[in-house]
Amino acid sequence: MLKSLFGELGPAEDPRLRAAAPDETDGGFAATAILESVATEVNERGQIVDRHLRDLVVTGSAAAAMRDHFAATRADLGTATRQITLLDPTGVWASAVIKALSDAGGQPVERLHLREHTTLKTLAVIERTSLVRRHEEKLNLYHADVRSPGQDTAEIPVALMERSHLTAVIVGPMQPHAIDALLASLADATQLPGWRCPNLLFMLPPNAVWIANKIAAVRWPQRVNVHVIDEPLISASAVWNAMLGIWNLVKLQPAWEAPAAAASPAAPSEFPFKVADLSRPPQARPVAPAPVARLGRSVLDPARAARALADMLPLEGMLGCAAVDATTGLVLAREMREDQPVDLDVIGAACAQILREHRQSSSAMGLGGPVEEIMTSTSARQMVMRVISRYPDVFVVCLLDRQRTNLPLARYKLMELDKALL
């Protein structure tokens, strides 16, 4: 049976007992660890393995399992380990901040890949590092990157935020309707019965007064302290320093009081998330409140993307086009000509890196607004990238024959595709 959601799965045991039972009637959480390693070394196959990386194949609700664990171990935030959760809807800074803190403090970045038990596709990636400062309590930083659509996966960031001391929302290049959706989801999350996070920090780009006004217009719960800062987010260290300034102001403030009916907290359990013993009968397990809020990156349906790309292929001079996840560089959907095959996987990964660099440079130069389109030309070919307005972490890249393509028409077709996906 599962003893942990992230890491330490306990001593080896019969694999048949660790596998999730497929016929569970209560929909409980279960998982089977794969690719588990205990040290950074070369294994018997000559492969380098990372002791801080885990892949977990899950069934049931991972978010509910995390809530059960936190309700037991973090019922009293006054005595619980200090925790900050990063929410980065556009996926620009959170991972970079955690990596920078890991490098600066010498603490590892621990990652968990949650995978669907039928297809093994990644549902979400949870990462954590710790910050140890002289004369300060240890501070844990978490970030959950949702990779797949679905109600339960979108609740994973909410489960992390609910029992944090501070939730930092990094507002990157987002359209107004995406800002509205984010604020509505956060407002719903703070109204959940299990919400205990006393501080909510919004990190805005410079001159984003209209976003600050929208935040001020939300009716937040009285116990939630909302902080808003607008500073140039030009590097991971700049983001962290701005966040640290707010943390130094709120870390000594009273934490959210534990509910009167809550049991006394267990001994502080760091990481991983402990999960209820699955051998107990269903009626004996704690029942988590029904969640009503879901947060995560807006994910484009690959089938819908494929239908949109099919309309691009007949364009004269089109060699291939693909919809790409900007955070991972993975191709979500593709179309190409059989007589002139191109490696769209390599193109997608390279273009994702290009987009990240352009976004950082655009912010540093103060151009204002998100990056919408990037073009590159050589003597024989042209490449056009366009970020999808509704899905800022997805872009479409087209590879064109320069001698045969009407570039203005290709750009017009991309804008039409963008509107079709609204």
Side-chain angles (χ1 to χ4, degrees):
M1 70 186 66
L2 180 67
K3 296 297 183 184
S4 166
L5 180 62
F6 193 174
E8 306 168 5
L9 293 175
E13 55 186 351
D14 189 339
R16 293 172 296 178
L17 299 178
R18 293 172 59 180
D23 56 350
E24 287 187 348
T25 58
D26 65 332
F29 174 85
T32 302
I34 62 173
L35 303 181
E36 182 184 0
S37 59
V38 296
T40 303
E41 58 186 8
V42 178
N43 63 15
E44 58 184 8
R45 296 183 179 180
Q47 299 170 324
I48 297 178
V49 292
D50 186 350
R51 63 178 176 175
H52 303 301
L53 175 65
R54 297 290 185 273
D55 284 52
L56 225 59
V57 181
V58 302
T59 62
S61 173
M66 292 163 61
R67 285 189 169 106
D68 288 345
H69 167 69
F70 285 145
T73 61
R74 300 185 64 84
D76 182 5
L77 290 185
T79 59
T81 305
R82 300 296 181 180
Q83 177 174 317
I84 295 178
T85 297
L86 309 182
L87 180 64
D88 187 4
T90 57
V92 176
W93 289 116
S95 293
V97 169
I98 288 181
K99 179 63 166 58
L101 289 178
S102 172
D103 293 341
Q107 299 295 317
V109 177
E110 300 169 273
R111 293 186 178 89
L112 173 69
H113 290 227
L114 293 175
R115 299 187 184 275
E116 188 179 47
H117 70 287
T118 54
T119 64
L120 295 184
K121 72 176 181 180
T122 301
L123 302 175
V125 177
I126 303 174
E127 55 186 0
R128 185 200 79 162
T129 193
S130 299
L131 179 65
V132 181
R133 295 190 294 167
R134 185 177 298 177
H135 308 307
E136 294 278 353
E137 295 183 65
K138 184 174 72 170
L139 178 62
N140 289 335
L141 284 91
Y142 287 83
H143 170 238
D145 182 10
V146 176
R147 300 288 181 83
S148 177
Q151 176 176 341
D152 184 66
T153 53
E155 290 171 5
I156 290 175
V158 181
L160 281 175
M161 293 187 298
E162 285 174 348
R163 302 282 175 163
S164 298
H165 292 85
L166 171 67
T167 293
V169 184
I170 305 173
V171 181
M174 301 174 67
Q175 297 294 327
H177 65 82
I179 296 290
D180 292 338
L182 172 66
L183 294 180
S185 298
L186 285 169
D188 289 342
T190 57
Q191 299 289 345
L192 289 174
W195 184 272
R196 296 291 182 273
C197 180
N199 298 289
L200 196 58
L201 167 63
F202 288 91
M203 307 185 70
L204 311 182
N207 303 317
V209 178
W210 64 278
I211 303 179
N213 291 336
K214 286 179 177 288
I215 295 171
V218 176
R219 299 185 61 181
W220 304 101
Q222 186 176 2
R223 291 297 309 276
V224 177
N225 303 308
V226 179
H227 310 267
V228 179
I229 59 176
D230 57 339
E231 298 185 10
L233 306 180
I234 59 176
S235 66
S237 59
V239 175
W240 167 244
N241 288 334
M243 194 184 308
L244 183 61
I246 297 298
W247 171 249
N248 287 333
L249 293 176
V250 304
K251 64 183 179 182
L252 298 180
Q253 294 180 0
W256 195 291
E257 296 178 0
S264 59
S269 165
E270 296 295 331
F271 202 46
F273 311 119
K274 301 297 180 182
V275 186
D277 189 342
L278 298 179
S279 64
R280 292 157 55 189
Q283 60 270 22
R285 300 180 197 167
V287 179
V292 297
R294 296 177 292 277
L295 287 172
R297 295 189 295 124
S298 183
V299 181
L300 175 62
D301 181 11
R304 189 181 179 197
R307 290 193 296 270
L309 292 178
D311 295 334
M312 295 290 298
L313 195 59
L315 185 67
E316 179 69 18
M318 176 69 69
L319 301 177
C321 53
V324 183
D325 186 326
T327 62
T328 63
L330 297 178
V331 173
L332 303 176
R334 71 187 74 202
E335 291 286 345
M336 71 177 73
R337 296 190 182 278
E338 296 182 358
D339 58 336
Q340 292 180 298
V342 292
D343 194 338
L344 289 175
D345 291 311
V346 173
I347 293 173
C351 288
Q353 181 64 31
I354 292 172
L355 179 58
R356 283 192 290 269
E357 296 294 338
H358 272 70
R359 281 175 167 172
Q360 294 180 19
S361 300
S362 174
S363 177
M365 291 186 291
L367 297 182
V371 175
E372 295 180 351
E373 187 178 79
I374 300 173
M375 292 187 294
T376 303
S377 298
T378 65
S379 59
R381 293 183 176 181
Q382 291 177 314
M383 182 273 293
V384 183
M385 298 168 51
R386 186 168 187 85
V387 179
I388 304 301
S389 300
R390 185 175 180 182
Y391 307 93
D393 49 6
V394 176
F395 64 87
V396 174
V397 55
C398 295
L399 189 64
L400 309 168
D401 185 328
R402 184 170 184 175
Q403 305 303 321
R404 299 167 52 205
T405 301
N406 183 333
L407 182 59
L409 178 60
R411 295 179 62 199
Y412 176 76
K413 287 289 187 181
L414 277 173
M415 287 187 284
E416 282 192 332
L417 182 149
D418 188 5
K419 293 178 180 178
L421 294 176
L422 289 177

